[in-house]
Amino acid sequence: MSTDDLLAAALRLPRCERARLTEEMLASFKEPAEQVAVAWAEELERRSRDIGKGLVEAQDWETVRDKIMRDLDLRRANRRREAPVLSAATH
């Protein structure tokens, strides 16, 4: 079964079944909290070292936020253009 076939079948499920399926799929991506905390601590240490060595330049939050928002808007626009048109039978 292809991913498209699986998605089409999932979209035909009743709302409560789709919610359960979504919950289970999202839970499959979760990592234990301790692993996440360790990974973030390592990342923060690496970033601090890079800034201290002059390898990267810190930017203020407003500049970073503006760039993130532009990137998100662009991604959303691209997704809307690329989204497949689903027939009423798959809703």
Side-chain angles (χ1 to χ4, degrees):
M1 178 180 280
S2 73
T3 304
D4 289 338
D5 293 338
L6 183 59
L7 176 60
L11 290 172
R12 286 191 297 270
L13 292 171
R15 183 182 178 97
C16 63
E17 295 288 326
R18 290 193 320 270
R20 179 173 171 243
L21 179 61
T22 301
E23 184 178 319
E24 294 292 332
M25 292 297 297
L26 289 173
S28 73
F29 289 107
K30 291 184 181 172
E31 296 181 44
E34 185 177 322
Q35 285 180 338
V36 172
V38 168
W40 270 113
E42 291 171 354
E43 180 65 14
L44 290 172
E45 288 175 13
R46 182 192 65 77
R47 290 180 185 196
S48 292
R49 278 193 310 273
D50 288 352
I51 290 171
K53 292 177 182 178
L55 299 174
V56 294
E57 185 179 322
Q59 296 182 344
D60 64 272
W61 169 241
E62 210 170 280
T63 301
V64 173
R65 183 185 180 283
D66 289 346
K67 182 182 182 324
I68 291 169
M69 296 308 291
R70 282 193 309 272
D71 289 350
L72 285 173
D73 288 343
L74 182 60
R75 287 182 187 187
R76 287 181 186 128
N78 288 338
R79 252 189 278 144
R80 281 192 293 270
R81 280 195 298 268
E82 296 169 0
V85 177
L86 298 176
S87 69
T90 59
H91 289 279

